[in-house]
Amino acid sequence: SRGLGDVYKRQLMALGLEVETGIAKTGVTGLLRGDQEGFTIALRADMDALPIQEKTGLAYQSLNTGVMHACGHDIHMAVVLGTAMVLKSLKNKIKGNIKFIFQPAEEGTPSGEKGGASLMIEEGVLKDPMVGAVFGFHVWPQAETGTVMFSPGSIMAGSDRFTILIKGKSAHGAMPHEGIDAIDLSAQIILNTRSVASRSIDPTSPVVISFGKIEGGKKANIIADRVHMEGTVRTLDKFMQARVKKLIEDVIKGTASPVGASYEFDYQAGSPPVYNHPELAKLLQPSLYAAVGEENVVELKPVMVAEDFSEYSRIIPGFYFFLGVTSTETKTIYPLHSPYFNPDEKSISIGIKVMCHLLLDCLKQQESFANRPSE
């Protein structure tokens, strides 16, 4: 994100905004002060790409081998910068201030490092002046260009990660009774976790437990003494995250201990669910109608993908929506994180229009929700 940060620094300075750099390592902010007194709101764009080799074959595809904007963050940045350009020209109509946040590391940080939204908050991105509400969005290939998807309450899941190391005992494959089979135990843990979760958790509070990596064993005729597993937990209920952690560990212990195996379990809590403040949503939903037409605003069922925008919206009221980016002409759909992902660039101007409506209307109605907690 360092190169992008320099680009946006120059662009924001050219607009005459108050610019700060080096936030959360490569983050950039630009503050637009309106001509009228009021409080401050923020608009956030994530900047990072993904370790994917682009295969679109387009003239403007990534020039960096093995790196691609496969999650649409380039569209996010373009919309936020375009919104800054438009609103700078409307400075005399702005009642308050707007902070434009360009954030690195939404896709995660290297192991052991801090970054993303939580580090930007820690380093004061919501202060000087204090931010009273925050806005964000994500491109959505399952919706056509011109469509906005939105709903109040939780709309994206919280995401945690875990690792499990099963410690058994090696033996000859012909004499398994002399060993403790870590591979067999890992298979039981995977199945038991899903079974217990389906019977221990209220089905109206969805939880997704996924094992994405498993490594163990050395040779076909040797009972494995070690198996390493990694997985994720997705839930729409922030209180459920702690409960799921205990559930998984209970299953591991109950499977390993009776046969004399031991284990290591590391559970890393991630961002909570993305939450749209209901009162803010009620006030500003008409703004979406004004921007794209009521017929193009579609109610969104919560999705189990995750986003660290929730770090902002659990502190102050947040407003987050999905922007359709599938061309109505080609209707070719490639999912997020695909090497063929190619969002319709016509969505950029639509996103700018939506954001301008939301931000201006928010400042006009700021007395209705300013300084209230997000939940």
Side-chain angles (χ1 to χ4, degrees):
S1 300
R2 183 172 291 107
L4 284 172
D6 292 339
V7 170
Y8 285 97
K9 172 186 174 182
R10 292 194 297 269
Q11 293 288 341
L12 295 170
M13 291 182 70
L15 290 174
L17 274 59
E18 300 173 22
V19 179
E20 289 190 37
T21 60
I23 308 170
K25 301 180 181 178
T26 58
V28 179
T29 64
L31 181 65
L32 172 60
R33 294 187 184 272
D35 287 348
Q36 303 176 48
E37 289 295 320
F39 86 135
T40 302
I41 59 178
L43 172 56
R44 174 273 210 164
D46 33 12
M47 297 196 297
D48 46 343
L50 286 162
I52 295 174
Q53 179 61 48
E54 185 164 354
K55 298 180 180 180
T56 61
L58 299 168
Y60 50 84
Q61 75 174 24
S62 174
L63 298 177
N64 299 295
T65 302
V67 180
M68 175 192 177
H69 271 296
C71 202
H73 294 187
D74 47 350
I75 298 289
H76 301 173
M77 291 182 285
V79 167
V80 173
L81 182 60
T83 301
M85 291 176 174
V86 172
L87 293 182
K88 177 61 168 63
S89 68
L90 301 174
K91 186 171 177 287
N92 63 317
K93 297 183 179 181
I94 296 177
K95 186 180 180 180
N97 312 309
I98 301 172
K99 180 176 281 191
F100 300 92
I101 300 172
F102 294 87
Q103 176 205 308
E106 186 280 324
E107 296 287 0
T109 58
S111 179
E113 291 190 19
K114 296 178 66 176
S118 60
L119 186 57
M120 293 204 83
I121 293 168
E122 183 179 315
E123 295 186 1
V125 76
L126 299 181
K127 300 177 180 178
D128 301 321
M130 294 294 294
V131 176
V134 62
F135 293 77
F137 78 102
H138 206 293
V139 299
W140 202 241
Q142 285 78 15
E144 291 186 345
T145 303
T147 300
V148 169
M149 304 186 75
F150 172 80
S151 64
S154 294
I155 62 167
M156 297 178 79
S159 177
D160 300 340
R161 296 181 181 181
F162 61 85
T163 60
I164 304 169
L165 176 63
I166 302 300
K167 301 177 181 180
K169 179 182 177 183
S170 290
H172 195 290
M175 293 173 281
H177 60 286
E178 295 183 356
I180 300 174
D181 193 337
I183 288 179
D184 181 74
L185 291 173
S186 66
Q188 292 182 52
I189 288 168
I190 293 172
L191 294 175
N192 290 342
T193 297
R194 292 174 176 170
S195 177
V196 171
S198 70
R199 291 295 179 266
S200 302
I201 295 174
D202 185 340
T204 63
S205 298
V207 171
V208 176
I209 303 174
S210 299
F211 289 82
K213 182 178 180 181
I214 180 168
E215 295 177 332
K218 297 177 181 178
K219 195 174 180 182
N221 63 346
I222 301 175
I223 298 297
D225 65 342
R226 292 285 191 278
V227 169
H228 174 83
M229 295 184 283
E230 297 181 12
T232 66
V233 173
R234 306 294 175 108
T235 176
L236 297 173
D237 182 347
K238 65 180 182 181
F239 300 106
M240 187 65 70
Q241 291 175 290
R243 184 178 176 188
V244 172
K245 174 184 177 181
K246 184 178 185 305
L247 182 150
I248 295 174
E249 184 159 21
D250 286 348
V251 169
I252 299 169
K253 184 177 181 180
T255 305
S257 296
V259 296
S262 60
Y263 67 90
E264 293 178 8
F265 178 55
D266 180 36
Y267 193 95
Q268 302 171 8
S271 297
V274 176
Y275 182 82
N276 271 325
H277 187 277
E279 189 170 344
L280 184 58
K282 182 179 178 181
L283 284 169
L284 295 180
Q285 195 159 345
S287 301
L288 297 178
Y289 298 159
V292 297
E294 186 171 352
E295 70 279 5
N296 293 315
V297 179
V298 180
E299 183 176 355
L300 174 75
K301 292 182 178 180
V303 294
M304 301 307 285
V305 294
E307 234 274 23
D308 75 355
F309 180 85
S310 58
E311 298 292 345
Y312 305 105
S313 62
R314 71 174 173 179
I315 298 173
I316 57 177
F319 190 102
Y320 195 94
F321 65 91
F322 290 81
L323 183 69
V325 293
T326 294
S327 171
T328 56
E329 298 172 359
T330 63
K331 295 188 177 181
T332 301
I333 301 175
Y334 291 108
L336 298 173
H337 294 202
S338 164
Y340 300 99
F341 182 59
N342 179 31
D344 184 0
E345 292 188 356
K346 292 179 181 177
S347 65
I348 295 174
S349 60
I350 296 169
I352 293 170
K353 184 178 180 181
V354 171
M355 278 301 182
C356 287
H357 274 267
L358 288 172
L359 297 176
L360 291 174
D361 290 347
C362 177
L363 290 175
K364 288 178 184 177
Q365 303 183 73
Q366 58 188 265
E367 292 83 4
S368 299
F369 57 86
N371 302 318
R372 295 187 183 182
S374 61
E375 296 184 53

